[in-house]
């Protein structure tokens, strides 16, 4: 399976199943596109006719090079991975991460919130320390021999239950020594309640912090308002700047959402960079197509262009010694995920689960409140094993439309929650999201090619 595309002056050839990436000249690009369905004589005739300065010997040499790459397993590599996808159901899965919904309530009233302003279609609630403590015990008990465990503090707005967050962290630190575990915590916050005490504690204990900011003031304040209808930009930006400055070299990223209202989202990313934030993420909104801020088909070519603008600007900033990171362009071509991970994806419903304030288990935060996907609880464990089996088989080969897609080993079949909300099935395909993902991967690969060729 080979994917060819041209971007930013590069002719790029991706061999999906080997992971090999080739930056080639125009002649090689054309030869590769023809070689599977044409004779060598036809290719030579076509290339000599197309290029005035190319001889038959030049084309034959190029063909020979392509044949050698194929023999070396770096081009037109067969897909031998599908059988691995069906080993998952039989494997003994350990849990490595929990998303703790410590607050099913929020102090903002964001229009596009998938969690219904933190309530998740239910009642407002705060997790007690007793539930949080049991969640930590549940994770340890179900983690097998795995040492590194992850806990995300999520909401709603988790800072509305800050004392319990601190208690849970303290308890987990005690258990680390007893059970030979290492906890890595993440905090996601809208910033309203950030203060010096939060900054100090988070910078000591949180492996990562996710700070919600949509970009320019007019964009952010349009949808991210409080219950009085006031925007939150002026309140949170100074707090986030102080937070990040104090954080030093510890992980963080700014997490924004773009909608139909700001399809020129690169302006929001560059605005955040100008504010001093270098670790950036901007996600496309996922919502009812009837919502006024929903992305449209007409938006798609604009968004594709925006991703290209971003990639080119990031390269230039790296040349200038002022690099920024974009979450969706983070691609490790040499030491990336193993093939099992590339097939199975994020591990929702198997290795990763969400815990409600009452201790109920769901496959991930985006399924919380949907009783069809209630898996059990932290006291009695996973009772609905059919759901777990369903998620074990939800991978890059479970969707018919993914089997012949060049990007399947980068997206692992895509987000199960987005597929479910778009099609009614976790093995469906959220096509709009797929198209954006593929564009992002093309841009990310192009950046790697440019960095290698320029020595950046």
């Amino acid at each position: 399976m080979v994917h060819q595309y041209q971007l930013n002056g590069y002719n790029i050839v991706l061999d999906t199943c080997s992971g090999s990436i080739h930056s080639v000249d125009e002649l090689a690009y054309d030869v590769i596109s023809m070689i599977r369905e044409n004779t060598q004589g036809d290719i030579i005739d076509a290339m000599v006719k197309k290029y005035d300065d190319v001889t038959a010997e030049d084309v034959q040499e190029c063909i020979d090079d392509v044949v050698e790459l194929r023999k070396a397993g770096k081009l037109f590599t067969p897909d031998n991975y599908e059988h691995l996808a069906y080993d998952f159901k039989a494997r003994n899965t350990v849990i490595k991460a929990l998303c703790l919904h410590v607050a099913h309530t929020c102090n903002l009233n964001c229009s596009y919130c998938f969690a219904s302003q933190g309530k998740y279609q239910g009642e407002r609630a705060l997790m007690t320390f007793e539930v949080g403590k049991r969640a930590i015990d549940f994770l340890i008990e179900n983690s097998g021999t795995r040492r590194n465990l992850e806990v995300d503090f999520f909401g709603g707005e988790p800072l509305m239950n800050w004392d319990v967050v601190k208690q849970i962290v303290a308890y987990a630190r005690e258990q680390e020594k007893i059970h030979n575990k290492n906890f890595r915590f993440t905090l996601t916050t809208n910033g309203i309640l950030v203060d010096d005490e939060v900054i100090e504690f988070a910078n000591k204990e949180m492996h990562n912090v996710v700070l919600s900011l949509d970009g320019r003031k007019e964009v952010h304040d349009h949808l991210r308002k409080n219950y009085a209808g006031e925007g939150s930009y002026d309140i949170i930006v100074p707090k986030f700047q102080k937070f990040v400055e104090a954080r030093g070299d510890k992980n963080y990223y700014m997490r924004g959402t773009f909608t139909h209202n700001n399809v020129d989202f690169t302006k929001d990313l560059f605005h955040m960079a100008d504010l001093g934030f270098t670790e950036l993420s901007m996600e496309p909104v996922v919502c009812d197509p009837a919502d006024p801020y929903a992305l449209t088909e007409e938006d798609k070519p604009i968004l594709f262009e925006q991703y290209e603008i971003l990639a080119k600007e990031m390269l230039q900033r790296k040349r200038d010694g002022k690099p920024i990171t974009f979450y969706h362009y983070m691609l490790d071509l040499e030491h990336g995920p193993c093939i099992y991970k590339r097939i199975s994806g994020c591990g929702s419903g198997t290795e990763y689960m969400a815990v409600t304030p009452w201790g109920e288990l769901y496959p991930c935060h985006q399924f919380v409140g949907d009783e069809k996907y209630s898996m059990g609880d932290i006291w009695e464990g996973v009772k609905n094993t059919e759901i777990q089996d369903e998620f074990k088989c939800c991978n890059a080969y479970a969707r018919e439309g993914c089997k012949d897609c060049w990007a399947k080993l980068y997206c692992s079949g895509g987000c199960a929650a987005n597929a479910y909300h778009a099609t009614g099935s976790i093995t469906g395909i959220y096509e709009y999201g797929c198209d954006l993902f593929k564009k992002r991967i093309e841009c990310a690969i192009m950046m790697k090619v440019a960095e290698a060729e320029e020595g950046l």
Side-chain angles (χ1 to χ4, degrees):
M1 187 179 300
V2 168
H3 177 60
Q4 296 182 235
Y5 66 100
Q6 297 172 308
L7 181 57
N8 196 25
Y10 296 102
N11 302 309
I12 298 173
V13 181
L14 165 66
D15 186 62
T16 296
C17 294
S18 72
S20 299
I21 294 167
H22 309 276
S23 177
V24 300
D25 60 22
E26 291 185 5
L27 174 61
Y29 189 85
D30 288 341
V31 167
I32 291 169
S33 70
M34 294 182 67
I35 200 164
R36 283 194 296 179
E37 297 180 1
N38 298 272
T39 67
Q40 292 193 14
D42 289 341
I43 296 172
I44 292 171
D45 290 344
M47 294 299 97
V48 170
K49 184 176 181 180
K50 180 175 181 179
Y51 296 103
D52 294 335
D53 57 346
V54 169
T55 66
E57 290 76 16
D58 294 332
V59 182
Q60 184 62 59
E61 184 178 349
C62 184
I63 291 172
D64 293 342
D65 289 341
V66 172
V67 170
E68 285 303 311
L69 285 172
R70 185 171 191 168
K71 289 179 180 178
K74 296 181 179 179
L75 201 58
F76 303 112
T77 310
D79 186 347
N80 296 320
Y81 298 133
E82 186 168 1
H83 71 283
L84 298 177
Y86 300 101
D87 293 340
F88 293 139
K89 188 172 182 179
R91 66 179 175 157
N92 181 23
T93 305
V94 299
I95 300 174
K96 67 177 185 180
L98 291 180
C99 181
L100 298 189
H101 288 226
V102 292
H104 270 197
T105 188
C106 192
N107 44 19
L108 289 183
N109 188 28
C110 305
S111 304
Y112 55 40
C113 181
F114 75 91
S116 302
Q117 290 69 46
K119 301 190 298 295
Y120 290 85
Q121 320 301 328
E123 299 296 322
R124 295 188 184 276
L126 298 177
M127 181 179 286
T128 64
F129 171 60
E130 287 70 26
V131 172
K133 176 176 177 290
R134 176 57 204 159
I136 295 296
D137 292 339
F138 170 80
L139 179 54
I140 292 171
E141 291 164 6
N142 289 275
S143 61
T145 59
R146 185 180 179 90
R147 184 169 186 270
N148 291 320
L149 305 177
E150 299 175 11
V151 174
D152 299 341
F153 292 108
F154 203 70
E157 173 49 50
L159 294 188
M160 295 182 74
N161 200 11
W162 183 234
D163 285 342
V164 167
V165 170
K166 291 187 292 184
Q167 288 178 279
I168 294 171
V169 169
Y171 177 73
R173 294 294 183 221
E174 293 173 358
Q175 298 307 302
E176 282 180 326
K177 306 176 184 66
I178 299 170
H179 299 283
N180 190 31
K181 301 293 183 181
N182 176 53
F183 282 95
R184 292 188 291 200
F185 298 105
T186 295
L187 173 70
T188 298
T189 178
N190 63 31
I192 296 295
L193 296 177
V194 166
D195 57 21
D196 289 347
E197 192 268 337
V198 168
I199 292 173
E200 181 179 1
F201 185 88
N203 287 349
K204 177 186 176 186
E205 297 288 1
M206 300 295 162
H207 176 73
N208 202 355
V209 292
V210 182
L211 310 175
S212 297
L213 177 67
D214 280 355
R216 293 163 288 178
K217 176 179 168 62
E218 63 272 21
V219 169
H220 180 92
D221 284 349
H222 184 66
L223 294 175
R224 298 187 65 83
K225 294 179 167 66
N226 62 22
Y227 281 87
E230 302 163 335
S232 55
Y233 179 96
D234 289 336
I235 297 172
I236 66 172
V237 166
K239 294 184 177 188
F240 284 165
Q241 289 174 313
K242 186 174 184 179
F243 203 156
V244 168
E245 183 179 3
R247 197 155 176 79
D249 60 357
K250 289 193 172 184
N251 293 335
Y252 80 93
Y253 68 87
M254 312 305 296
R255 199 279 189 196
T257 299
F258 66 80
T259 72
H260 179 68
N261 300 328
N262 63 314
V263 290
D264 58 346
F265 67 86
T266 57
K267 292 181 180 178
D268 296 294
L269 287 167
F270 300 148
H271 175 74
M272 287 192 270
D274 292 342
L275 291 172
F277 305 122
T278 60
E279 310 303 306
L280 309 174
S281 173
M282 186 67 77
E283 306 279 350
V285 69
V286 179
C287 61
D288 188 322
D291 289 336
Y293 46 81
L295 296 169
T296 67
E297 282 297 320
E298 291 71 28
D299 292 334
K300 198 180 291 182
I302 302 172
L303 299 176
F304 287 173
E305 182 183 22
Q306 288 290 297
Y307 282 123
E308 292 187 15
I309 289 170
L310 174 60
K312 294 172 186 177
E313 176 65 17
M314 287 178 66
L315 286 170
Q316 187 57 52
R317 290 187 182 225
K318 193 165 187 177
R319 295 184 193 105
D320 295 341
K322 299 177 181 179
I324 58 175
T325 299
F326 181 58
Y327 180 79
H328 289 297
Y329 288 173
M330 295 172 67
L331 196 61
D332 187 344
L333 299 179
E334 296 180 0
H335 308 288
C338 67
I339 188 60
Y340 278 100
K341 186 67 177 174
R342 294 182 76 177
I343 291 171
S344 62
C346 70
S348 60
T350 55
E351 300 172 325
Y352 165 86
M353 296 177 192
V355 182
T356 70
W358 306 276
E360 195 171 3
L361 293 168
Y362 286 88
C364 85
H365 61 284
Q366 292 198 67
F367 288 94
V368 167
D370 186 336
E371 288 307 308
K372 177 183 175 183
Y373 282 98
S374 175
M375 301 181 69
D377 61 51
I378 54 177
W379 291 276
E380 298 186 14
V382 175
K383 294 297 183 182
N384 195 338
T385 56
E386 289 183 2
I387 292 177
Q388 196 165 40
D389 288 344
E390 185 182 1
F391 274 84
K392 282 183 180 180
C393 292
C394 182
N395 56 62
Y397 292 89
R399 300 166 169 86
E400 283 298 319
C402 295
K403 288 184 177 180
D404 296 323
C405 177
W406 63 268
K408 65 185 176 185
L409 296 182
Y410 292 91
C411 74
S412 310
C415 172
N418 287 350
Y420 173 62
H421 293 131
T423 70
S425 169
I426 66 170
T427 56
I429 296 176
Y430 174 46
E431 293 185 1
Y432 200 106
C434 285
D435 291 343
L436 296 185
F437 181 91
K438 286 185 280 190
K439 187 62 183 181
R440 292 195 297 260
I441 289 297
E442 286 185 341
C443 289
I445 290 173
M446 180 277 290
M447 290 178 65
K448 288 294 185 184
V449 169
E451 289 167 357
E453 294 199 2
E454 296 182 36
L456 293 176

